[in-house]
Amino acid sequence: MPIIDQKEQARIDLAAAFRWAVRMNFHEGVCNHFSLAVPGETDRFLINPHGLHFSEIRASDLCILDAEGNAHGGYHPPEPTAFYIHSAIHRTNPKAACVLHTHMPYATALCLVQEGRLEMVSQNALRYLDQIAYDDKYNGLVLDFEEGFRIAEVLGDKRVLFLANHGVIVVGPTVADAFDDLYYLERACQHQVLAMSTGRPLKPIDPQVAAMTCEQIEGERLNAQLHFQALKRILQRESPDYAD
């Protein structure tokens, strides 16, 4: 098999995340954006160009943004909100090599209700114990550095941010880690919304058991890599052009 360098692999991995976001109904029109720090560089990141549907994005379509928002390569530049959100988070969060922003249905549903929170009542939710930040202030589109850095400050060093009246942001050290968290976040939110729809009270989990379970799940982080490798194998069989 040909040897793929780190920068090319970064493109392939991010393209795979876009393709699977569509298959899992995490996408919305030609909006939403995923980014990944360029390996070996401190001030540049890969991001999707504006106007391409997630289902058609290929590795070669991704553009690189520098610290000033200049686009290098790619189909055409990303939308402005993508730069201001992702640039601020990449600069301020050491865990955020990969930044995924979506309006996926069930997670976003919790952003639309008063004091919407992911409750620690399901096993899937427990992986995010003490790893979620909530921005309860909606300020419209993110079109300047001030709002971008405000959002980044609210996220802090957490892995997940719920944006009031908007959507969610998930960050991670790799595409695999971030996408695995994105997947299980939506599943946890889906379970909670369905449970709430019954009108019955949610069933709490003992805090000590919750903390223990969170540690157990964290000890199996290798599963994120295995999950993402499986997703890429499926794409390689069914839609190999994603890596072009």
Side-chain angles (χ1 to χ4, degrees):
M1 296 180 63
I3 297 175
I4 301 175
D5 67 27
Q6 283 187 313
K7 292 184 178 181
E8 182 60 27
Q9 189 62 59
R11 286 181 172 274
I12 291 172
D13 286 351
L14 194 58
F18 287 114
R19 295 296 184 97
W20 270 101
V22 173
R23 293 181 178 216
M24 294 175 175
N25 196 33
F26 295 168
H27 66 304
E28 186 170 72
V30 292
C31 304
N32 296 178
H33 12 87
F34 294 173
S35 66
L36 178 64
V38 175
E41 301 190 29
T42 59
D43 61 349
R44 295 189 173 199
F45 56 89
L46 292 162
I47 197 163
N48 51 305
H50 192 207
L52 287 187
H53 195 272
F54 279 18
S55 65
E56 61 181 341
I57 290 176
R58 302 168 302 166
S60 59
D61 292 322
L62 300 172
C63 59
I64 295 175
L65 282 187
D66 62 25
E68 286 73 44
N70 300 310
H72 303 268
Y75 193 77
H76 50 75
E79 62 174 348
T81 62
F83 168 66
Y84 290 115
I85 291 173
H86 291 256
S87 177
I89 294 174
H90 280 296
R91 292 190 198 184
T92 59
N93 190 329
K95 296 180 181 179
C98 183
V99 180
L100 309 178
H101 170 53
T102 76
H103 302 164
M104 54 190 187
Y106 290 97
T108 302
L110 294 184
C111 298
L112 309 184
V113 296
Q114 288 284 359
E115 300 180 359
R117 299 290 186 266
L118 178 62
E119 304 293 343
M120 296 295 113
V121 294
S122 72
Q123 181 168 289
N124 283 342
L126 294 179
R127 70 171 51 226
Y128 309 104
L129 185 67
D130 297 326
Q131 283 298 320
I132 301 177
Y134 295 93
D135 180 9
D136 292 323
K137 183 179 182 181
Y138 179 67
N139 284 331
L141 299 184
V142 184
L143 293 174
D144 53 47
F145 281 114
E146 182 178 0
E147 182 64 5
F149 280 106
R150 186 193 69 80
I151 288 173
E153 183 177 7
V154 177
L155 172 63
D157 64 354
K158 305 298 187 184
R159 302 200 321 255
V160 177
L161 174 63
F162 279 73
L163 300 162
N165 311 102
H166 187 175
V168 294
I169 294 172
V170 174
V171 306
T174 68
V175 178
D177 286 299
F179 196 82
D180 194 60
D181 267 346
L182 191 73
Y183 169 79
Y184 282 104
L185 179 66
E186 180 69 346
R187 295 288 287 182
C189 293
Q190 180 180 16
H191 295 160
Q192 181 176 322
V193 170
L194 291 172
M196 291 168 63
S197 71
T198 69
R200 302 289 298 275
L202 298 176
K203 186 174 184 178
I205 296 175
D206 177 89
Q208 289 186 322
V209 174
M212 177 192 69
T213 305
C214 180
E215 290 182 6
Q216 291 172 330
I217 295 172
E218 190 62 27
E220 296 181 342
R221 292 298 290 182
L222 175 61
N223 285 343
Q225 303 297 324
L226 296 176
H227 181 197
F228 200 65
Q229 289 170 14
L231 297 181
K232 287 192 290 184
R233 287 196 301 271
I234 294 169
L235 282 179
Q236 193 59 44
R237 291 195 301 269
E238 300 178 357
S239 303
D241 66 309
Y242 87 95
D244 290 349

